Amino acid sequence: MSNQSNNIVLKHVTKKFGKTYAVRDLNLEIPANSFISLLGPSGCGKTTTLRMIAGLETPTEGEIWIGDKLVFSAKEGIDVPASNRGIGFLFQNYALWPHMTVYQNIAFGLETLKWKKSAIQARVQEMCELLQLSEYIQRYPSELSGGQQQRVAIARTLATNPSILLMDEPLSNLDAKLRLDMRAELKRLHSTTKATFVYVTHDQMEAMALSTSICLMKMAVLQQYAPPLSLYGEPVNKFVAGFVGNPSINFVDFDHEQMQGDSVLSREGVSFAAKVSVNKANGRILSKKVCVGIRPEDIHIDNTSPLKGEVISAFPYGMETTVMIRFLGADMRSVVFGSVDFTPGQQVGVSINGSNICFFDPETEALEAIGSMELRQ
């Protein structure tokens, strides 16, 4: 075991409610000082996992280690209470003391730890400056907006310097601008506090922006645990590829055959040579039919291309425009960078360029290979 006191290891952790699995045989190593997001659709088991680490939920099977301390073991009957696990927990609902001011709410944990009055005062001031709460220090929670209350909850949790901070969708009740500000805040807090952050979200953009690694779950089972860009560039299956990325990946089915050692993909009378890059998955396309995953940024509007498509709709955002194009008998999303707009019905040339095109087995949905595809004339 690492001598770092704030790494977390889950070994074969399972949680059942009756006959239903909330989490199934989860093995997870969370390194000290990392920022890990538990990501996935509602009901995939991410909050249950967080609550088991915290000691608020008892696993059915398995072991949980925090540093070199075994805090839960089904076999050995060990279950260290939440209050003795040295963890800060931030919920979606703020759970502030309504009869206490902002100052008293933040100071409460420090008073429990018997800090000196002057040290408490300095720490509360520091937290209020950090989270832009100084002008509200004497107000009560009922006099604050939801965003301000959430900032008080973050300040209160961070005040005691926890070495592990668990967060369950702490930004989901905030408006869009405040969410972005708080994301930047959390990233900065992570780099300054040296704590291990474990963060539950169903928002893949948030997970991508914040995390050192993402643990992506589906139906109680871990799908992939990897840094954000690996999840994006090398998804292990179609679910991962489709969950990560905005606008989302295009999935298109092609027929596949080997011709003179080339993998040839064809659809709607158009064929492409697929060039597979080595050492990815098993490195070759095996199936007779293949599901191709093409990211929107790899579909280019290119009027020199012999492939033609029709613009269905366009969404200009200023820095970039998302364009829905119908070609090869499918509707595909493309991202065009720059301030441009397109008219529905407009005919455009389309090319597929990119070395990170994913080839999936349509039956198992597992990734078979990664590579590029070139139009065969």
Side-chain angles (χ1 to χ4, degrees):
M1 277 288 152
S2 151
N3 60 3
Q4 291 279 14
S5 61
N6 61 343
N7 68 328
I8 305 165
V9 179
L10 281 71
K11 295 181 179 177
H12 301 292
V13 169
T14 291
K15 175 66 181 175
K16 286 168 87 171
F17 292 105
K19 290 189 173 167
T20 311
Y21 283 95
V23 174
R24 193 169 196 154
D25 196 25
L26 177 61
N27 291 294
L28 196 60
E29 286 197 31
I30 297 174
N33 313 339
S34 57
F35 194 133
I36 301 299
S37 286
L38 301 171
L39 175 69
S42 291
C44 70
K46 51 192 190 295
T47 293
T48 305
T49 301
L50 197 73
R51 291 176 63 83
M52 289 191 291
I53 295 169
L56 301 173
E57 198 77 71
T58 307
T60 313
E61 290 164 33
E63 285 183 2
I64 299 174
W65 295 77
I66 292 177
D68 49 11
K69 187 177 176 188
L70 182 60
V71 295
F72 177 83
S73 167
K75 204 174 277 174
E76 295 177 37
I78 293 168
D79 192 1
V80 174
S83 53
N84 295 350
R85 293 193 184 188
I87 279 171
F89 204 122
L90 202 57
F91 295 95
Q92 188 175 344
N93 52 352
Y94 327 118
L96 299 175
W97 301 106
H99 61 288
M100 292 184 185
T101 61
V102 167
Y103 182 96
Q104 291 165 325
N105 262 291
I106 300 170
F108 182 76
L110 305 174
E111 285 162 0
T112 316
L113 293 171
K114 308 270 193 290
W115 280 36
K116 282 191 185 140
K117 206 168 182 180
S118 58
I120 291 176
Q121 212 166 356
R123 184 66 173 157
V124 174
Q125 297 285 3
E126 185 191 347
M127 287 290 113
C128 285
E129 278 166 31
L130 186 67
L131 289 149
Q132 298 161 5
L133 290 165
S134 302
E135 60 192 279
Y136 311 111
I137 205 158
Q138 293 309 326
R139 290 199 193 171
Y140 289 90
S142 59
E143 302 171 294
L144 302 175
S145 71
Q148 289 159 351
Q149 289 185 40
Q150 185 60 305
R151 276 153 46 206
V152 176
I154 292 173
R156 181 186 61 185
T157 309
L158 286 172
T160 57
N161 275 326
S163 62
I164 293 173
L165 186 59
L166 306 180
M167 293 172 276
D168 191 0
E169 308 229 13
L171 309 186
S172 62
N173 293 352
L174 307 183
D175 65 59
K177 171 154 187 347
L178 195 55
R179 274 189 92 140
L180 285 174
D181 293 348
M182 286 306 301
R183 261 183 216 175
E185 202 53 71
L186 284 174
K187 205 150 186 171
R188 189 166 71 85
L189 289 170
H190 178 248
S191 62
T192 53
T193 57
K194 295 283 184 280
T196 303
F197 281 29
V198 187
Y199 190 92
V200 163
T201 180
H202 62 271
D203 180 333
Q204 52 98 8
M205 298 295 280
E206 196 155 270
M208 296 279 290
L210 291 172
S211 320
T212 50
S213 279
I214 295 173
C215 162
L216 180 55
M217 299 176 78
K218 174 193 178 189
M219 311 270 290
V221 178
L222 174 65
Q223 302 292 307
Q224 189 168 359
Y225 179 42
L229 295 178
S230 300
L231 225 58
Y232 186 81
E234 296 172 36
V236 294
N237 57 31
K238 269 182 76 176
F239 171 77
V240 175
F243 201 87
V244 173
N246 185 24
S248 53
I249 195 166
N250 300 288
F251 291 122
V252 196
D253 292 327
F254 284 82
D255 291 318
H256 168 242
E257 57 182 328
Q258 288 288 335
M259 288 167 107
Q260 293 114 29
D262 268 354
S263 277
V264 175
L265 304 175
S266 49
R267 180 185 167 93
E268 302 278 315
V270 180
S271 61
F272 294 84
K275 297 270 180 271
V276 170
S277 55
V278 255
N279 304 334
K280 299 273 172 79
N282 58 26
R284 58 206 181 101
I285 304 171
L286 301 169
S287 31
K288 283 270 176 267
K289 291 204 177 294
V290 65
C291 175
V292 179
I294 310 166
R295 292 280 176 200
E297 62 270 26
D298 293 335
I299 293 180
H300 298 266
I301 291 181
D302 166 9
N303 290 323
T304 63
S305 170
L307 259 185
K308 298 298 175 207
E310 180 192 344
V311 173
I312 303 297
S313 53
F315 305 93
Y317 296 111
M319 184 177 74
E320 61 189 42
T321 299
T322 301
V323 191
M324 189 66 109
I325 308 167
R326 182 165 293 156
F327 77 109
L328 295 178
D331 290 358
M332 299 200 220
R333 284 170 291 275
S334 162
V335 171
V336 179
F337 294 97
S339 295
V340 276
D341 200 359
F342 297 88
T343 320
Q346 186 179 339
Q347 296 294 309
V348 289
V350 187
S351 62
I352 299 171
N353 303 325
S355 55
N356 251 34
I357 289 164
C358 296
F359 304 105
F360 299 98
D361 180 319
E363 303 266 306
T364 65
E365 300 199 343
L367 180 73
E368 287 198 325
I370 296 175
S372 59
M373 46 199 287
E374 264 167 46
L375 190 62
R376 294 174 89 229
Q377 302 295 2

